Amino acid sequence: MHRIEDYALIGDEQTAALVGKDGSVDWLCLPRFDSAACFARLLGDEENGHWRIAPEGADTCARRAYRPNTLVLDTEWETDAGAMRVTDLMPQRDRAPDLVRIVEGLRGEVTVRSTLRLRFDYGSIVPWVRRSDGHRVAVAGPDSAWLRSEPEVRTWGEDFGTYSEFTVAEGERVAFVLTWHPSHEPRPPLVDPYKSLHTSVEDWQAWAARCHYDGPHRDAVVRSLITLKALTYAPTGGIVAAPTTSLPEELGGVRNWDYRYCWLRDSTLTLGALLAVGYQEEAEAWRNWLLRAVAGDPADLQIMYGLAGERRLSEFQVPWLPGFAGSTPVRIGNDAVNQLQLDVYGEVMDSLSLARRSGLSAKPQMWAIQAALMEWLRSEWQQPDEGLWEVRGGRRHFVHSKVMVWVAADRAVRALEHDPELQGDLDGWRAMRDEVHREVCDKGFDPERNTFTQSYGSAELDAALLLIPRVGFLPPDDPRVIGTVDAIREELDHGGLLLRYSTDGSVVDGLPGHEGTFLVCSFWLAHALHTTGRKQEARELFERLTGLANDVGLLSEEYDPSSGRHLGNFPQAFSHIGLVNTALALFGPDGAG
C-alpha cells in the first residue's frame, strides 16, 4: 500500500502528476489541474489508470531526487543485472501537455517494462487504442492521447493496457512521450524529449537562482518555492491549494476534499512570501488574479475560485473510486465555495495593501474594489460565519473571522491616512475598526484561562488565533497574546505538533472522526514562539517541521505523529507557504538578500 509521502510531483504550471517510488504515475489531470484525471490509481487501483516504468520484476526504486533546483525527477533502480535511471518531467507547454519519461542505462544491462493504462474521466472510461505512424493513439469522447518512444521499442496491447519491453545497457537511452489533446483537433507538434529535458533543467535552475533567501535551510525554502511555482496556473497566475482531491485527513474517514482550486485565505501569506524572496513577477500575477476573481458585487465574494476565477465549483461524489486507503467518498468540486467566511475580506484587503506598499504596478480599479468591500463589510460584519476552516457544523462568531474584519478596516484606514487622495470614509472605518477590536477583546477572550477562544462564548481553541500578533491586532508582548500561544500549545498539541482545533466531542465542524496535525498551524506556532521571545524553541520546532518533508522535500496538508504518516492533499501550498514565511521570520532579514 502506497503512502501519501511516497509520491513526488512533476508539472508544467498548468497541471501536475504524482510519481510513486515504484515508478508509477498514479495521478494526472489533463489538460488542467481541475480537469478529470486520466491516471487515478492514487484513489483506486491499477484499473483506474496509471503508467509504470521499472525494471522487470522490481518493486521500489533504490533512490530518487530532483535535479538540483528543478522539478525534474530522477529515479534510480538497482538490479542483479545492472542499474538504470528514469527521468520524469512535464516540459513547459507550447500548445499541448506532454509527459516525458526518459530511461537511461547506468550499469550492466537491464530489462525494462512499461505498463500504460489510460482511463479518462477519473478512471471510469477505457479508451479505444490504435496504431498510427509509430504512435499508440488512445481516444474516448473529448480526450485523445498519443504515446511514442525514441527509439521505437516493442509495444503491444493486452488487457486494455499498452505494454513495452526493452533492454538498456550503460549509456543507452529510450525516451517516452505521452501527449494529450482534444480528440477533435489534429495531433499537436512533436516535442524533442531530450531537448525538453535540457531546457526544463536550465529554466528551473534560472528561476530558482532568483531567490534572495540565503539563510539556514535554503534548500527547503527553494524547494517550497519551486513547489508553489509548480502549483501556479501560469495562464492566469492563480495558485491551487494542492493538485489532488480527496486524499484523506483521516485514513478510512470521510474528511476528503477537492483542493484543486484557489483559496483567498492563502492570498496575503502567499503574496508576502513571493515578494520577500524576490519573485515580483509571480506576486504581481497572483495579485492580478485576485483582482479579477473578486471583482463584482462585494456580497458575492467567495472563499475560493477556479483557476481562472470561475465561481461554480459544485461538489459531487465519484462512486466508482474506492478512495485512498479506502477513504470515501471521493469528491469532485467543493461545496465550501458557498460558505460565508468574513475573514476573506480581511485577506483581500491585506493582500492589496501589501501589494500597494511593495510597489507592485498600480491598478486603477484596485482601490474602488477595496472601498466597495469595506462598505459591504461595515454593514454585515456582525453576522456569524463558517470561519477559516470551512466547518460544516453551522455558523458561529469565529474570533479569527472578526480579527480579520479588524484587519480589513485597519488596512483601509491606513491607506487613507497614507494617501489622502484616495476616497473613503476615514472616520467611519476608523470607528468600525475600534468597535471590532473592543468586541473581540470583550466577547472572544476568556480572562480566567487568559486566552482567546475559537468563537464567542466557546471554550474551544483554534490555531488560527496564533495569527493575532502577526496581523497587528495586538503586539506580541501583550499578556493576552502570550497566554493564547501557551494555551494553544498545550490544548491543541498532538505529538509535539498542532491540531487546528479539537475534534474530540466537538460539533463545530459537523463531521465524524478525527484528523491529523495541521502542518501550517505548527509553522504558525514556530513563528509565534519566535515573536514572543522563545527563539530557541521556535527554531527547534521549525527544524522538526522541515524534517517531516518526504525524501524529495514535499509536505502534505497534515501529519499523524502516531503513525508517522502524511495526511491530506499533497503537496499542499499552505504548508510550503508556512515553511517559507517561518524561515524568513526566524532567520531574519539577513536571510532574504
Side-chain angles (χ1 to χ4, degrees):
M1 167 62 72
H2 285 81
R3 293 176 170 231
I4 291 170
E5 59 267 29
D6 288 341
Y7 288 97
L9 178 80
I10 58 173
D12 64 0
E13 295 181 61
Q14 295 190 46
T15 191
L18 293 187
V19 188
K21 288 182 176 180
D22 63 349
S24 181
V25 180
D26 287 348
W27 183 255
L28 175 60
C29 301
L30 290 172
R32 307 191 338 170
F33 290 106
D34 57 353
S35 300
C38 64
F39 298 141
R41 183 189 180 202
L42 180 72
L43 301 177
D45 58 28
E46 292 182 353
E47 291 305 314
N48 298 122
H50 74 120
W51 183 12
R52 185 173 190 235
I53 298 178
E56 187 178 30
D59 185 14
T60 59
C61 66
R63 68 193 67 86
R64 63 178 182 170
Y66 288 114
R67 297 202 179 177
N69 295 334
T70 77
L71 203 66
V72 175
L73 180 70
D74 284 327
T75 302
E76 294 187 2
W77 301 78
E78 301 277 356
T79 73
D80 293 340
M84 57 166 270
R85 175 192 299 125
V86 179
T87 300
D88 290 317
L89 66 143
M90 294 187 72
Q92 293 262 348
R93 71 177 77 170
D94 180 17
R95 285 176 49 196
D98 297 290
L99 173 54
V100 176
R101 313 196 72 185
I102 300 173
V103 183
E104 181 179 1
L106 301 177
R107 175 176 53 80
E109 186 174 274
V110 182
T111 300
V112 185
R113 171 70 70 99
S114 167
T115 303
L116 171 66
R117 285 188 176 88
L118 279 163
R119 298 292 187 266
F120 296 121
D121 193 27
Y122 299 105
S124 68
I125 298 176
V126 180
W128 182 266
V129 181
R130 61 182 171 84
R131 290 183 181 271
S132 177
D133 299 328
H135 291 69
R136 290 278 177 165
V137 186
V139 178
D143 297 293
S144 179
W146 295 64
L147 174 70
R148 78 178 197 277
S149 65
E150 295 184 12
E152 284 192 44
V153 297
R154 175 174 170 256
T155 301
W156 70 97
E158 181 182 327
D159 297 329
F160 302 103
T162 300
Y163 296 83
S164 302
E165 188 171 289
F166 55 96
T167 61
V168 287
E170 183 176 344
E172 292 181 341
R173 295 193 296 181
V174 175
F176 291 88
V177 182
L178 181 69
T179 303
W180 179 94
H181 69 94
S183 59
H184 65 277
E185 294 182 358
R187 184 195 69 192
L190 304 180
V191 299
D192 181 330
Y194 303 109
K195 182 178 179 182
S196 294
L197 171 60
H198 178 76
T199 302
S200 291
V201 170
E202 281 196 338
D203 287 350
W204 276 111
Q205 289 181 342
W207 187 85
R210 290 167 47 199
C211 175
H212 292 172
Y213 181 79
D214 197 28
H217 299 282
R218 186 179 193 278
D219 287 347
V221 169
V222 171
R223 177 53 53 197
S224 291
L225 291 166
I226 288 173
T227 304
L228 290 175
K229 179 71 167 172
L231 298 181
T232 301
Y233 185 64
T236 66
I239 301 174
V240 296
T244 56
T245 179
S246 300
L247 288 180
E249 297 170 6
E250 179 185 33
L251 295 179
V254 301
R255 297 168 181 264
N256 318 316
W257 316 108
D258 193 345
Y259 274 19
R260 297 171 299 155
Y261 308 112
C262 308
W263 265 256
L264 298 190
R265 72 178 184 192
D266 305 357
S267 57
T268 305
L269 299 175
T270 302
L271 196 64
L274 292 171
L275 287 168
V277 294
Y279 290 104
Q280 192 95 353
E281 180 181 330
E282 287 75 13
E284 188 146 338
W286 171 241
R287 189 278 311 268
N288 292 345
W289 175 89
L290 183 65
L291 282 173
R292 293 191 301 270
V294 305
D297 186 343
D300 296 332
L301 188 69
Q302 297 183 178
I303 68 166
M304 72 179 89
Y305 295 86
L307 306 178
E310 297 92 343
R311 289 173 174 259
R312 297 190 186 276
L313 310 176
S314 300
E315 183 179 307
F316 63 94
Q317 297 179 10
V318 178
W320 60 84
L321 287 175
F324 185 92
S327 307
T328 56
V330 171
R331 292 181 170 95
I332 308 300
N334 199 316
D335 275 347
V337 70
N338 299 313
Q339 291 188 350
L340 172 66
Q341 292 182 18
L342 294 173
D343 67 285
V344 298
Y345 290 84
E347 298 288 358
V348 172
M349 291 295 291
D350 201 15
S351 294
L352 298 182
S353 174
L354 175 61
R356 185 178 287 106
R357 296 196 311 271
S358 301
L360 295 185
S361 62
K363 294 290 182 180
Q365 77 275 26
M366 191 163 78
W367 178 251
I369 290 174
Q370 289 181 269
L373 291 174
M374 279 305 305
E375 284 308 304
W376 183 89
L377 193 58
R378 175 154 59 174
S379 64
E380 303 292 338
W381 72 268
Q382 290 176 317
Q383 54 181 311
D385 71 342
E386 275 92 1
L388 172 71
W389 304 125
E390 299 152 27
V391 299
R392 301 193 178 196
R395 293 182 177 180
R396 287 169 169 74
H397 290 284
F398 285 100
V399 172
H400 172 264
S401 295
K402 305 301 188 189
V403 168
M404 294 309 295
V405 168
W406 176 90
V407 168
D410 179 71
R411 303 318 187 249
V413 167
R414 288 171 182 264
L416 290 177
E417 290 174 342
H418 178 74
D419 186 356
E421 293 187 6
L422 295 176
Q423 299 297 309
D425 183 1
L426 177 58
D427 291 338
W429 293 346
R430 189 181 281 139
M432 171 188 166
R433 179 181 66 177
D434 295 343
E435 182 184 357
V436 175
H437 199 280
R438 283 193 301 271
E439 181 178 294
V440 169
C441 292
D442 179 40
K443 297 182 179 181
F445 184 74
D446 181 346
E448 291 186 8
R449 295 158 65 206
N450 191 33
T451 182
F452 286 95
T453 58
Q454 184 178 51
S455 60
Y456 291 175
S458 168
E460 301 289 342
L461 299 182
D462 191 318
L465 301 170
L466 294 169
L467 298 173
I468 283 175
R470 193 162 170 174
V471 299
F473 184 84
L474 288 173
D477 59 357
D478 189 292
R480 292 168 292 182
V481 168
I482 296 171
T484 300
V485 173
D486 290 342
I488 288 172
R489 191 181 186 189
E490 178 180 350
E491 295 188 26
L492 298 184
D493 174 83
H494 178 44
L497 304 175
L498 281 191
L499 301 166
R500 51 181 171 174
Y501 52 84
S502 174
T503 56
D504 290 332
S506 173
V507 296
V508 171
D509 64 17
L511 297 165
H514 301 280
E515 64 179 29
T517 60
F518 211 77
L519 290 177
V520 76
C521 296
S522 297
F523 280 115
W524 292 347
L525 176 59
H527 191 289
L529 289 171
H530 177 82
T531 57
T532 55
R534 290 165 280 188
K535 301 185 186 302
Q536 184 59 36
E537 294 174 72
R539 293 191 178 202
E540 289 172 358
L541 178 55
F542 182 79
E543 295 272 356
R544 181 180 178 194
L545 287 165
T546 56
L548 297 181
N550 73 354
D551 59 317
V552 291
L554 301 180
L555 292 167
S556 63
E557 178 186 29
E558 299 185 4
Y559 183 80
D560 179 10
S562 301
S563 64
R565 294 186 63 164
H566 286 231
L567 295 170
N569 285 301
F570 173 89
Q572 177 81 356
F574 219 13
S575 299
H576 285 282
I577 293 164
L579 188 153
V580 174
N581 281 320
T582 307
L584 291 168
L586 267 58
F587 303 113
D590 293 340

